[in-house]
Amino acid sequence: MFVDLISFQLLNIPKESVAKMVLAAFFYNLGKFNAKHPILVICLSLLATIIFSIGFIFLDVQTNPQKLWVDPGSRSNHEQNYFEDKFGKFYRVEQAIFSHRTDPEHTDVFQKEFLAELWEVQSRIENAEILYDNSLHTVDSFCYKPVHGKGCFISSPMDYWKMNITQLESDNDIKLTAQCINQIEGQQILCSDRNNIPIIRNLTFGGISCEDGTQGTCQACKIKAKALIITFLLNNNDETKDMGVENWEKHVFEKYMKDFNDDNTKQLKVAYYSERSVPDELDKEDSQNFIYVVISYLCMFLYVSMAIGTFPSRLHTRFMVGLSGVICVICSVCISIGITSYAGIPLSMISIEVVPFLILAIGVDNMFIISMGESKERDILKKKGIKDHAEIMGCALREVAPTITAAAFSECAAFMVGATTNVPALTNFCITAAIAVLADYFLQITAFVAVIELDYRRWTGRRIDCFPCFDLEKSVKEPRRRLVKKFVKKIYAPVIFHPITQVCLAITFVSLFILSFGSYDDINLGLTEQVTCIHKSDLYKYFDSYDDYLQTGAIAYLVFKDINYTNPTNQQLLSQMSDALSQMSKTVQPPVYSWVKALNSYINDVEPECNNSQVASFDFNTQVRLFLTVSIDSICCKKFGVCGEQYETDIIFDDDGEIKASRFRFQHTALKDQSDYIDALRDTRYAVDTIGAGLVPNMKTNPSMSNYQLRLSQEWIDTTDSYTSDERLAFSYSLFYVFYDQYRTIRGVAVQNLFLAFAAIILAIELLTNIYAALLVTLMVAGTSWGLIGFLYIWNELAGGYKTEINAVSVVNLVMCCGLAVEFSIHIMTSFLKFTGTRKERARKALVDMGSVVMTGIASTKLIGVIVLGLAPSLVFNLYYFRMYFGMFCLGFFHGLAFQPVLLMYIGPPSTSTEEPKKINGYDSKIDGTSLKELS
């Protein structure tokens, strides 16, 4: 080898040529070894698969939406952890929306007959018992009880009659009762439920309008309602889970709601949601999608088996070769999942379903290229009198493996870039895909080559495909069917290289880039809830009803940590924050329930009924504790609105009696689309961060935070999203914030990941070709991936309905597009580099010679698989896999098989072949070329 290197230097061969020749020699020897020992190679491949697949015993399939889609290092996730640590986890929500069964848009369901139907199912749910872990439980075992000694918090229209059907039936004017007007004085009063908790009208009725047709807040009119709403709040802790709260949700709440819908005698229908609905829906959806992934496999297998061989023919079909290629893909997926499971990486069903399809789409390409490379080398060497098939396989692998290697490592690099998205489900998906690509690559250049050798032996022995034990009695003439190559040579290539076509291709290429730049900001951010559901499923109908009827949004909080509540500046800032949020009419529904304001009223407004005449003389913490003892049933609460008990869970004391954390409660408006949720997070966070920057810490509870340190940390906070639990003294929080935090930066992340993927592709291809070729291929890849944005924008506008949006799924698909787009371009480029002649001659030869292979083995197989995905009932599959993968196919075909040959005709890199072969160690060689005999 040292002598060889000296020879290279004496011949002034570039270092990159040395690497390519050494790599070519490696593949040549590997091909010969595979052909000489096919059974050994296949057995070793199966053994490796079995060893790695043992990792399946550690497989962890994650279905929790938050653990799948929330960045653990995000600011919102840290804030949620702080909130749950101090105040406990957010409640489990069970909600049912009742509307008219046949005419929901025009029927006023706020009528006695409809309330009676609602009460029937509600009372059954409240009284139902389930047996779990040898104990009987009712909703009372799990529910949230906000007032000591009182019952469950259940929001329902029946609250106006204290959950008493007799009172409802005896009420002469139910709409007057719901107006909450004092019948004697004519003043509006506070209506409360059976626990004396104020009733939130917009939480019990949906689609509210005034009966007399007047517009306004409907607070002083008799209302009409399109929907009646029941909401159960259940505790969300380990104790309730141990008692079987999820079992209650499934076998009580969901069961009775399904039974209600199945009863055609009811005038109402119900759309319902339970806390377990989302993970259950994901399981159902995954089961449905899995069938279509299997069908996709079968279709591609049948196509590959017929396209690689000749169909119909008992001798020349290659079904066993096609099946072995599919088995290689399955083995690579098993290896990948086994390795990730060994590493303790939890997987989502996206990884388990999409990775096999993805790897098959990639692996099929290599099957065609290797098998057709073997056929081509067999024809070439046959003319030279060489019949040793091991020699043929060595030459074939030497020719095609560098290109396959460049494509595989480019795809792997692109997936590893996608793993930086910081969304767990997609990070794990990209890691799994990257490992699977490498595993499939190694199995293709070893086990699949060995299978081709065995199939060659079957063919030369005239044994029937799939039944190798049976011989054909007479020889069968080998057919010559190269329809695709003839089509490319006679029709496609002349059209592509026609001057008018060239101009059209150039205009289209530039237009796609401009369209994508112009439309990037016009594609909405988010992931619409209905898209994540099975079409017309129970959860899908609930989200539709939520959008149609609900007029109040999610509960939210202002959370304060270690601040001095007696400091005048702090009190002013707390008031400013409350006022600022109350004025956000688009996203916040006033009022903000501030315990500080209520406490000040309790201290300063002396009333005998409140027994507060001496409160002002006590220290602050004692005042707070006395305030919290004011019962919600007291005259002080009912007459003067001072109800300290309702704030008891909003104030957390430490062991020294100091307030460690507290919160104000408010509610968002009904947020209808994804932009509303993003705006709600952005606006509330901006207001709280801006005003809260001046808060003064409580030195008793946090002595390490001096004013100077606070000011420095706050200035630092204003310039970055990095976060730790001690850096902000105030923040806004709602349950949905963790899911929408990513959208503040996701557009930038998408662009960043694309550029990283481009850089990785340039590096991978340059190592096996040259920088000129790598840049041109990457330009085609960039055109495909970036053009996909414009493609999606046009499809969104033309198709209507639900749209493909920018979210973590689509961002990773953009990066994935980079890997897949390489397949359409790299093979044409490497073929172009090998041919000699003018650029136009080489471009035409490359298109005819390798373009036909790309059409047959790459474009066709991807199209078949994508079409099958389009039949899946899942909207996620349709919008983010079928639509985006179909775009990848169309744009990849355009850039790789149409625009690239034209571009090469004008600015293609010089040929790497030489006219006269040089002698190195006695062997013929074309430096950087196509026919290195052997390098020992």
Side-chain angles (χ1 to χ4, degrees):
M1 181 60 71
F2 180 75
V3 174
D4 296 336
L5 293 176
I6 293 176
S7 300
F8 292 149
Q9 293 299 323
L10 292 174
L11 291 170
N12 294 319
I13 302 172
K15 289 187 292 183
E16 58 267 25
S17 297
V18 176
K20 292 166 192 172
M21 294 179 71
V22 171
L23 193 62
F26 168 76
F27 286 125
Y28 172 78
N29 290 316
L30 179 63
K32 289 184 67 175
F33 180 85
N34 293 335
K36 290 180 178 179
H37 312 283
I39 302 299
L40 174 63
V41 170
I42 292 173
C43 289
L44 289 175
S45 300
L46 291 175
L47 178 62
T49 301
I50 292 171
I51 292 173
F52 286 115
S53 297
I54 295 175
F56 269 79
I57 62 177
F58 305 106
L59 178 63
D60 178 18
V61 179
Q62 183 61 258
T63 59
N64 186 323
Q66 182 160 335
K67 292 184 179 180
L68 288 173
W69 302 108
V70 175
D71 176 11
S74 69
R75 170 181 169 178
S76 289
N77 193 60
H78 282 290
E79 289 173 346
Q80 184 181 61
N81 290 337
Y82 180 88
F83 182 91
E84 292 181 351
D85 179 59
K86 294 297 184 288
F87 302 101
K89 288 187 177 181
F90 207 82
Y91 318 108
R92 300 181 71 89
V93 178
E94 327 294 319
Q95 191 169 70
I97 304 173
F98 294 82
S99 58
H100 197 267
R101 189 177 289 263
T102 57
D103 189 16
E105 288 303 311
H106 302 98
T107 302
D108 177 15
V109 294
F110 187 19
Q111 307 289 341
K112 281 187 179 181
E113 55 183 317
F114 301 125
L115 289 170
E117 286 190 6
L118 175 145
W119 174 247
E120 179 186 346
V121 66
Q122 179 184 335
S123 59
R124 290 182 64 194
I125 291 173
E126 288 193 53
N127 296 321
E129 294 181 328
I130 61 166
L131 180 65
Y132 186 82
D133 198 19
N134 298 320
S135 299
L136 286 174
H137 299 283
T138 65
V139 67
D140 189 75
S141 304
F142 315 113
C143 69
Y144 167 62
K145 299 174 183 177
V147 182
H148 291 302
K150 301 288 185 178
C152 298
F153 177 83
I154 302 173
S155 173
S156 165
M158 291 298 295
D159 280 330
Y160 290 98
W161 299 274
K162 311 300 182 186
M163 301 293 186
N164 189 320
I165 189 64
T166 304
Q167 287 188 27
L168 171 68
E169 292 172 346
S170 61
D171 193 333
N172 294 326
D173 190 342
I174 62 173
K175 298 199 173 185
L176 180 62
T177 301
Q179 279 185 285
C180 299
I181 293 178
N182 189 301
Q183 300 301 309
I184 299 176
E185 300 177 1
Q187 297 177 346
Q188 193 167 359
I189 60 174
L190 185 66
C191 280
S192 58
D193 64 11
R194 58 185 170 181
N195 297 322
N196 288 324
I197 297 174
I199 298 172
I200 302 175
R201 177 178 291 179
N202 287 348
L203 194 58
T204 55
F205 298 107
I208 298 174
S209 61
C210 288
E211 195 170 62
D212 58 7
T214 59
Q215 301 298 317
T217 62
C218 292
Q219 294 299 316
C221 69
K222 291 185 177 181
I223 67 168
K224 295 190 298 184
K226 295 180 181 179
L228 307 173
I229 305 167
I230 302 175
T231 305
F232 292 79
L233 290 186
L234 309 183
N235 290 314
N236 190 12
N237 51 44
D238 294 336
E239 182 180 357
T240 55
K241 288 183 179 180
D242 291 341
M243 289 192 294
V245 64
E246 294 181 355
N247 206 45
W248 180 90
E249 290 172 342
K250 181 176 182 179
H251 297 292
V252 175
F253 181 79
E254 291 185 358
K255 178 182 182 300
Y256 285 136
M257 292 302 169
K258 289 177 183 177
D259 291 345
F260 185 91
N261 273 337
D262 293 339
D263 187 351
N264 292 324
T265 64
K266 302 297 184 186
Q267 299 182 73
L268 298 177
K269 62 179 180 179
V270 61
Y272 57 90
Y273 166 89
S274 73
E275 193 70 22
R276 62 174 295 156
S277 292
V278 173
D280 285 352
E281 186 80 1
L282 290 175
D283 287 340
K284 295 175 186 176
E285 187 174 20
D286 292 334
S287 300
Q288 283 194 353
N289 293 337
F290 183 75
I291 296 172
Y292 289 87
V293 174
V294 172
I295 294 174
S296 177
Y297 261 61
L298 292 175
C299 291
M300 282 197 271
F301 160 64
L302 291 174
Y303 171 78
V304 169
S305 301
M306 290 186 289
I308 286 183
T310 303
F311 183 85
S313 171
R314 289 177 296 173
L315 179 63
H316 298 294
T317 56
R318 306 183 83 175
F319 279 100
M320 292 303 296
V321 174
L323 178 61
S324 68
V326 173
I327 292 174
C328 284
V329 171
I330 295 173
C331 290
S332 66
V333 173
C334 291
I335 290 171
S336 177
I337 295 177
I339 291 174
T340 53
S341 298
Y342 272 128
I345 299 174
L347 299 181
S348 67
M349 288 305 295
I350 292 178
S351 299
I352 296 173
E353 289 175 350
V354 178
V355 168
F357 166 79
L358 177 66
I359 302 307
L360 182 61
I362 293 173
V364 164
D365 308 343
N366 296 342
M367 291 163 55
F368 271 92
I369 292 171
I370 293 174
S371 61
M372 292 184 179
E374 181 265 347
S375 298
K376 183 179 179 180
E377 287 297 324
R378 190 176 354 126
D379 292 341
I380 293 173
L381 295 181
K382 183 179 180 180
K383 295 177 182 178
K384 297 180 179 180
I386 299 175
K387 297 183 179 181
D388 181 10
H389 197 253
E391 181 75 16
I392 293 171
M393 286 306 307
C395 292
L397 199 62
R398 183 192 65 204
E399 291 297 307
V400 302
T403 302
I404 292 173
T405 302
F409 280 88
S410 298
E411 290 155 355
C412 180
F415 285 127
M416 292 310 296
V417 168
T420 64
T421 308
N422 291 331
V423 177
L426 299 175
T427 297
N428 298 344
F429 166 77
C430 287
I431 293 173
T432 305
I435 297 174
V437 166
L438 289 181
D440 184 57
Y441 162 74
F442 286 116
L443 289 175
Q444 293 281 3
I445 63 174
T446 54
F448 185 72
V449 171
V451 169
I452 290 179
E453 170 64 27
L454 293 178
D455 186 71
Y456 174 79
R457 296 179 185 181
R458 173 198 65 80
W459 177 72
T460 54
R462 300 205 313 272
R463 294 192 292 274
I464 300 175
D465 187 27
C466 300
F467 302 97
C469 295
F470 297 93
D471 296 340
L472 292 173
E473 295 181 359
K474 57 182 179 179
S475 177
V476 178
K477 185 178 179 180
E478 182 177 357
R480 293 286 183 178
R481 296 177 60 185
R482 297 180 178 177
L483 297 180
V484 176
K485 192 168 185 176
K486 288 182 179 179
F487 164 77
V488 173
K489 183 176 182 179
K490 301 294 185 181
I491 300 175
Y492 184 76
V495 171
I496 288 296
F497 291 112
H498 192 279
I500 296 178
T501 306
Q502 294 177 30
V503 173
C504 293
L505 291 173
I507 292 174
T508 304
F509 176 79
V510 175
S511 298
L512 279 172
F513 256 94
I514 295 174
L515 175 63
S516 296
F517 274 107
S519 62
Y520 187 48
D521 287 335
D522 294 327
I523 299 179
N524 295 333
L525 297 172
L527 181 61
T528 303
E529 291 91 344
Q530 286 90 330
V531 167
T532 63
C533 307
I534 299 172
H535 190 56
K536 299 302 181 183
S537 66
D538 293 330
L539 188 59
Y540 180 97
K541 293 175 182 176
Y542 167 79
F543 285 130
D544 269 354
S545 296
Y546 184 97
D547 291 342
D548 290 340
Y549 302 124
L550 258 68
Q551 294 176 278
T552 188
I555 297 174
Y557 297 93
L558 271 175
V559 181
F560 305 103
K561 305 178 297 181
D562 297 318
I563 70 169
N564 186 347
Y565 296 94
T566 61
N567 184 286
T569 300
N570 279 359
Q571 293 198 6
Q572 182 180 4
L573 293 175
L574 295 182
S575 179
Q576 288 178 8
M577 274 190 269
S578 299
D579 294 341
L581 292 179
S582 298
Q583 293 169 11
M584 295 178 183
S585 57
K586 180 184 175 182
T587 57
V588 175
Q589 183 173 308
V592 175
Y593 294 93
S594 166
W595 65 266
V596 173
K597 286 185 178 180
L599 173 66
N600 289 334
S601 297
Y602 174 68
I603 296 173
N604 299 322
D605 301 333
V606 178
E607 299 292 346
E609 293 88 345
C610 294
N611 194 26
N612 60 343
S613 59
Q614 302 297 321
V615 171
S617 62
F618 296 112
D619 65 272
F620 176 74
N621 290 315
T622 303
Q623 290 173 343
V624 174
R625 292 185 183 278
L626 289 172
F627 166 68
L628 296 178
T629 63
V630 180
S631 170
I632 200 170
D633 292 327
S634 67
I635 297 175
C636 184
C637 177
K638 293 179 178 179
K639 186 175 180 179
F640 303 103
V642 178
C643 311
E645 186 180 15
Q646 67 175 314
Y647 298 107
E648 186 175 14
T649 58
D650 295 332
I651 304 172
I652 306 299
F653 294 91
D654 62 16
D655 295 337
D656 297 326
E658 298 285 343
I659 299 177
K660 182 69 175 175
S662 75
R663 63 187 183 184
F664 294 171
R665 184 175 71 257
F666 65 97
Q667 199 138 12
H668 283 293
T669 56
L671 306 173
K672 299 298 184 181
D673 54 41
Q674 298 296 289
S675 62
D676 289 342
Y677 286 97
I678 297 169
D679 290 345
L681 168 61
R682 182 197 60 209
D683 294 347
T684 55
R685 179 174 285 178
Y686 177 79
V688 174
D689 285 356
T690 302
I691 300 172
L695 288 172
V696 179
N698 187 343
M699 302 307 294
K700 291 183 180 179
T701 57
N702 195 351
S704 63
M705 180 69 80
S706 67
N707 288 336
Y708 178 69
Q709 289 172 319
L710 173 62
R711 182 173 59 81
L712 287 180
S713 66
Q714 195 63 54
E715 289 175 355
W716 178 77
I717 290 166
D718 291 339
T719 63
T720 181
D721 282 329
S722 301
Y723 179 84
T724 64
S725 60
D726 294 327
E727 285 162 1
R728 288 181 180 86
L729 297 179
F731 62 86
S732 57
Y733 169 76
S734 188
L735 191 61
F736 69 85
Y737 285 6
V738 290
F739 295 102
Y740 289 89
D741 204 8
Q742 60 182 294
Y743 297 113
R744 296 178 303 107
T745 58
I746 198 165
R747 291 187 193 274
V749 169
V751 174
Q752 172 185 297
N753 283 356
L754 282 177
F755 277 105
L756 288 174
F758 298 156
I761 291 170
I762 290 174
L763 179 62
I765 296 177
E766 190 273 336
L767 291 175
L768 295 170
T769 56
N770 56 62
I771 189 63
Y772 193 176
L775 289 174
L776 288 179
V777 170
T778 305
L779 177 63
M780 297 300 99
V781 172
T784 301
S785 54
W786 185 249
L788 186 59
I789 296 170
F791 179 90
L792 293 175
Y793 174 77
I794 295 297
W795 196 328
N796 283 345
E797 295 302 312
L798 294 178
Y802 295 113
K803 299 180 178 181
T804 306
E805 299 166 310
I806 295 180
N807 50 51
V809 178
S810 54
V811 168
V812 169
N813 277 346
L814 282 175
V815 176
M816 188 188 308
C817 177
C818 296
L820 293 177
V822 171
E823 297 280 353
F824 286 93
S825 302
I826 184 65
H827 305 297
I828 301 289
M829 176 60 74
T830 54
S831 182
F832 178 83
L833 292 173
K834 292 175 183 178
F835 287 117
T836 58
T838 65
R839 283 195 177 101
K840 185 174 182 179
E841 292 172 344
R842 291 161 58 207
R844 184 181 292 273
K845 290 178 183 177
L847 182 60
V848 173
D849 186 66
M850 187 55 71
S852 58
V853 177
V854 174
M855 284 187 184
T856 305
I858 297 177
S860 300
T861 52
K862 284 180 172 59
L863 181 61
I864 291 171
V866 166
I867 289 174
V868 174
L869 288 183
L871 302 175
S874 167
L875 288 172
V876 168
F877 258 51
N878 273 271
L879 292 176
Y880 294 98
Y881 295 106
F882 167 68
R883 189 173 291 189
M884 295 192 75
Y885 286 6
F886 185 75
M888 293 179 199
F889 164 79
C890 294
L891 294 170
F893 190 98
F894 168 78
H895 287 92
L897 292 170
F899 184 65
Q900 181 182 225
V902 172
L903 193 67
L904 293 176
M905 188 175 71
Y906 290 101
I907 60 171
S911 174
T912 55
S913 291
T914 58
E915 292 299 329
E916 296 296 329
K918 297 181 180 180
K919 294 282 185 176
I920 299 178
N921 291 349
Y923 295 110
D924 290 338
S925 172
K926 290 186 178 181
I927 307 303
D928 263 356
T930 59
S931 56
L932 172 67
K933 174 67 177 175
E934 184 175 6
L935 188 63
S936 318

